[in-house]
Amino acid sequence: MKCPVCDAGALNGARFCSRCGASMTATPADRPRGDLGSSMAKGAMIGAVVAIPVPFIGPIAGAVVGAGVAAYKTLSKD
């Protein structure tokens, strides 16, 4: 028998998990979702990785646009 929350092995007939304390007799609707924390951690990690380059994108984009405008003005003079 395995715990429905932490997947630890348990003795047959056990009412509670010896590792996490979850009820072994709870119905699936009553059981907490064991994977919610890990999926939230993955989402937070992705958000942090995406947020790293954000402060650099603005100045770089501004420099590229500014250089483009200056080049356009210089090259388009009569």
Side-chain angles (χ1 to χ4, degrees):
M1 182 175 198
K2 289 194 172 225
C3 174
V5 176
C6 70
D7 209 28
L11 297 173
N12 286 337
R15 294 181 63 200
F16 297 97
C17 175
S18 60
R19 183 173 172 196
C20 70
S23 173
M24 301 291 278
T25 59
T27 62
D30 296 339
R31 294 181 186 144
R33 291 187 40 112
D35 63 338
L36 180 61
S38 63
S39 68
M40 288 176 66
K42 288 176 189 174
M45 180 182 65
I46 291 170
V49 169
V50 169
I52 289 171
V54 169
F56 302 107
I57 291 173
I60 291 171
V64 169
V65 170
V69 168
Y72 176 76
K73 285 182 177 180
T74 302
L75 296 173
S76 65
K77 283 186 180 179
D78 290 335

